[in-house]
Amino acid sequence: MSPPAKDVSRRGFLAALKPQNVALAVAGSTVWAYVTGESRASVPARRPPGARDESAFLASCIKCSQCVEACPYDTLQVATAGDGEAIGVPYFEPRKVPCYMCPDTPCIAACPTDALLPDTPIEEAEMGLAVLVDQENCLAYKGLRCEVCYRACPLIGRAIGLEFRPNERTGKHALFIPVVNSDACTGCGRCEHACVLEEAAIKVLSVEQARGKLGENYRFGWLEDAEISPDFEAPMAAPDLPQWRDGLERVLEQMDDLSGIEEP
Amino acid sequence: MTWFWTHHYLLARRTTQLGVLVLFWLGAHWHLGVLTGNLSSSRVLRTVPLADPYAVLQILATGQVLGSTVLLGAAIVLGFWFVTGGRGFCAWVCPVNPVTDLAAWLRPQLGVRWGVRRGLRVDRSVRYWIMFLALPVSAITGVAAFEWLSPIAMTHRELIYGPGLGLLAVAGIFVLDLFVLRPGWCGSLCPLGAFYSLVGRWSLLRVRFDPERCDHCGDCIRVCPEPQIIRYDEMERSGFIDSGNCLNCARCLEVCPRDAYHFAPRFGGDAVGSPEEGSP
């Protein structure tokens, strides 16, 4: 009788652990890892509300497209092969369809893996960040009364405000410059969608692209809560105060001595 | 009628494969809530979660903490295929199966002329290697490694969200199965098939074999997508096809002229779908 098939395959599996095969497996995995790494889109996309940080989002999204199905405005799209986005992962293009910021966030509710963090209030979403990327073509910078992005913003006055500046070309008018407050902006893209130019001057970039990062060493004296904290360690020790006082007293004594000298 | 009786399981399988696709398509485009999502994760009637347990394993390997919904979904799917036979997924649901079946059907007809009848063989352990290696590769790259390249997910997605470049993957598998590998993608390479083969080693519903009826005509071996698993000597001893590679596709059941096969639980019990006379 031949041994059961299970044993044959198990023995075959152990026999396959030859150095040559292990090397093949390592080489194959390396190529695999490389291809997988390359298949991530180079430019991070605009993600659904509540999405984890881009790398955590790409890892935890199971690519089931349930958020896409749940979106009542067909804002969310599935990236298929050749779209230039990470394949199968949801994204949106605000110039085509922006996010209308449903208060009940059906997309987040649909997510089975919590790649879209549950119970994220829509006004705290960071789908991206609006940036007025093209000041040369923005009508407001030309002195025209446009403000369409400002009025389209669902958080008008909070996420996009207007800043008045003198119009130096005419010398007597004002420029109404739209200014994004990055703390309030959710990246919904209503501004980019509404921009009247042929190509939008205000665009929603991914948060990773749009945000700078301040070094830890900066302290701003004009901000009340920006005092040097008790655990701040200065790189050089400051001079000891008693020594200063001694020195000061010595100088004052000398000045007293000098005061006794009559002027010529 | 005879053609129907030798193909009724095949027709049922094509119906479930197409039915699953149609329900997902209607879910995505008409918002019919019977099945929403896709084969990676979905909900039935917008409530019962389902998830691909192998995909969930890969995501866990990246170190991410996952929501309970997807974990419950993976447990439900794992439990379902544990009962109904691991690679039942391959035979009854997977959209790649009709493609590789078509290639397998065409191969002998084209193969004789083009001299590729036998085909290249890959060691059967390779797909297990791919299955296991997906986990460290997921940990290194930080994304679910097989899911990112899976031709199964790609086929499914392209069929639902409009054909794109992803159908090239399907074409690639078709050519591979037709001209190069035998057994092809499903039996030699697919890590999801390997995963379900592992489940199938212990799954409950199996194809039982009645040696009294069998006259060793070999019709079953000719239609079986994994013909190496039909070994009369072993089946006479164990009473069923004892292999995780069995797809429960039931081709052997329907072509057997003497009804030697029927579905039954692994451990005794009455036959399911057995002929009226019952088994001795």
Side-chain angles (χ1 to χ4, degrees):
Chain A
M1 279 312 245
S2 58
K6 275 191 288 198
D7 289 348
V8 170
S9 65
R10 188 171 301 143
R11 197 183 304 153
F13 190 71
L14 289 175
L17 282 170
K18 286 181 293 192
Q20 195 186 0
N21 291 352
V22 172
L24 187 68
V26 170
S29 308
T30 313
V31 174
W32 188 359
Y34 174 74
V35 171
T36 309
E38 286 296 297
S39 71
R40 304 163 71 138
S42 54
V43 177
R46 282 71 55 102
R47 298 298 179 205
R52 301 184 188 188
D53 293 346
E54 182 73 0
S55 63
F57 176 71
L58 290 180
S60 55
C61 171
I62 199 167
K63 307 199 275 189
C64 68
S65 68
Q66 290 188 69
C67 55
V68 175
E69 193 273 339
C71 177
Y73 297 98
D74 290 340
T75 300
L76 296 176
Q77 307 288 317
V78 184
T80 51
D83 280 352
E85 301 283 346
I87 298 172
V89 181
Y91 71 107
F92 71 105
E93 294 175 291
R95 190 63 169 166
K96 290 181 183 161
V97 190
C99 171
Y100 289 93
M101 290 176 60
C102 314
D104 55 343
T105 53
C107 48
I108 297 179
C111 180
T113 63
D114 296 356
L116 308 180
L117 293 166
D119 306 321
T120 306
I122 188 62
E123 296 202 353
E124 282 167 31
E126 289 191 328
M127 295 172 264
L129 187 56
V131 182
L132 209 168
V133 286
D134 189 0
Q135 302 183 354
E136 275 90 354
N137 284 307
C138 174
L139 295 181
Y141 276 86
K142 293 185 185 299
L144 302 182
R145 292 292 306 273
C146 174
E147 301 123 52
V148 167
C149 54
Y150 166 75
R151 301 204 182 275
C153 179
L155 303 176
I156 183 168
R158 282 189 284 159
I160 301 184
L162 287 181
E163 199 177 284
F164 309 125
R165 295 183 199 164
N167 183 339
E168 287 173 5
R169 179 176 58 80
T170 65
K172 52 186 169 183
H173 299 97
L175 303 179
F176 289 56
I177 303 296
V179 176
V180 177
N181 173 8
S182 54
D183 283 340
C185 175
T186 64
C188 75
R190 294 276 288 276
C191 51
E192 179 179 340
H193 184 248
C195 179
V196 299
L197 302 191
E198 280 182 24
E199 180 72 38
I202 190 164
K203 288 191 166 80
V204 175
L205 307 181
S206 73
V207 178
E208 287 84 351
Q209 279 178 303
R211 282 265 193 189
K213 189 171 186 297
L214 193 65
E216 297 278 324
N217 51 326
Y218 285 89
R219 299 288 183 283
F220 297 120
W222 61 90
L223 294 176
E224 255 181 63
D225 56 352
E227 285 174 30
I228 293 176
S229 59
D231 52 325
F232 175 77
E233 286 179 23
M236 278 196 313
D240 204 21
L241 199 57
Q243 285 181 348
W244 277 26
R245 199 180 294 127
D246 291 351
L248 192 65
E249 280 169 3
R250 221 176 298 129
V251 170
L252 289 173
E253 279 170 20
Q254 284 171 4
M255 286 177 75
D256 285 348
D257 293 348
L258 288 174
S259 64
I261 297 170
E262 300 283 324
E263 277 186 48
Chain B
M1 277 316 269
T2 35
W3 185 90
F4 178 79
W5 281 113
T6 55
H7 292 82
H8 66 289
Y9 274 116
L10 184 65
L11 289 173
R13 278 171 47 213
R14 296 290 176 252
T15 307
T16 57
Q17 286 163 345
L18 190 67
V20 166
L21 270 178
V22 167
L23 285 175
F24 275 128
W25 193 92
L26 290 174
H29 297 287
W30 290 10
H31 301 286
L32 182 79
V34 180
L35 267 181
T36 43
N38 60 28
L39 292 177
S40 300
S41 179
S42 59
R43 276 186 181 83
V44 183
L45 298 173
R46 297 197 191 278
T47 44
V48 184
L50 300 176
D52 174 353
Y54 182 54
V56 170
L57 269 185
Q58 292 168 67
I59 295 179
L60 290 176
T62 67
Q64 293 293 321
V65 177
L66 292 182
S68 54
T69 309
V70 80
L71 299 178
L72 176 64
I76 290 174
V77 168
L78 199 61
F80 180 81
W81 294 121
F82 176 73
V83 171
T84 55
R87 286 194 70 192
F89 171 82
C90 308
W92 292 81
V93 176
C94 182
V96 175
N97 173 269
V99 178
T100 54
D101 271 1
L102 179 64
W105 180 73
L106 281 174
R107 175 186 272 274
Q109 297 165 37
L110 293 177
V112 175
R113 204 185 317 154
W114 293 349
V116 289
R117 190 177 169 82
R118 292 179 64 87
L120 207 73
R121 274 180 190 280
V122 172
D123 192 282
R124 293 298 300 228
S125 66
V126 165
R127 61 200 189 112
Y128 287 109
W129 280 81
I130 297 175
M131 182 191 84
F132 286 122
L133 287 174
L135 302 179
V137 173
S138 298
I140 293 165
T141 57
V143 288
F146 178 61
E147 297 314 301
W148 275 63
L149 307 172
S150 163
I152 304 161
M154 214 173 273
T155 308
H156 192 77
R157 199 156 40 233
E158 303 284 331
L159 287 173
I160 290 175
Y161 286 99
L165 285 176
L167 288 183
L168 283 177
V170 187
I173 286 180
F174 182 71
V175 171
L176 185 82
D177 269 47
L178 188 55
F179 296 119
V180 188
L181 282 184
R182 180 181 155 81
W185 161 262
C186 301
S188 299
L189 299 175
C190 179
L192 186 60
F195 178 82
Y196 280 126
S197 283
L198 276 185
V199 177
R201 286 193 181 189
W202 301 284
S203 65
L204 295 181
L205 188 70
R206 297 280 67 178
V207 174
R208 282 212 161 255
F209 174 72
D210 183 355
E212 307 276 311
R213 291 168 180 259
C214 176
D215 63 358
H216 297 193
C217 71
D219 278 359
C220 49
I221 297 179
R222 274 186 283 280
V223 295
C224 183
E226 298 272 353
Q228 80 285 355
I229 64 176
I230 297 186
R231 299 173 61 160
Y232 292 126
D233 53 347
E234 278 175 23
M235 293 195 303
E236 275 164 22
R237 194 158 33 83
S238 65
F240 60 101
I241 301 179
D242 185 14
S243 169
N245 286 332
C246 176
L247 287 81
N248 277 3
C249 73
R251 286 294 285 145
C252 52
L253 268 82
E254 55 193 5
V255 299
C256 181
R258 298 169 65 91
D259 289 332
Y261 293 100
H262 55 264
F263 277 128
R266 176 184 293 263
F267 310 104
D270 284 325
V272 178
S274 67
E276 287 77 10
E277 300 95 319
S279 49

